[in-house]
Amino acid sequence: MERKRAGKTYNDEFKKTIVDLYHAGNAVKELRSECGVSEVPIYKWTKAFTPIS
């Protein structure tokens, strides 16, 4: 039996926009309420789309 993922899928452009907003100083809680995305994906996207310095 195959399990289907629950929830929405977002394209990379949307994810990068959220990450850019986070780096611009927006709090994760603000982004969560404004964009309708829970906190966990925001942290994952930030980790994935932030270059290592």
Side-chain angles (χ1 to χ4, degrees):
M1 182 180 258
E2 186 178 326
R3 285 181 69 185
K4 291 188 178 186
R5 285 183 53 199
K8 299 178 182 178
T9 57
Y10 301 97
N11 63 28
D12 285 349
E13 184 178 338
F14 178 80
K15 294 174 185 179
K16 289 176 184 175
T17 301
I18 298 297
V19 172
D20 289 342
L21 289 169
Y22 173 76
H23 287 301
N26 291 295
V28 172
K29 290 184 179 185
E30 287 178 22
L31 295 171
R32 180 191 71 199
S33 62
E34 291 176 11
C35 302
V37 179
S38 67
E39 292 179 23
V40 173
I42 295 172
Y43 286 117
K44 286 182 180 180
W45 299 341
T46 302
K47 186 176 180 180
F49 289 107
T50 302
I52 299 172
S53 304

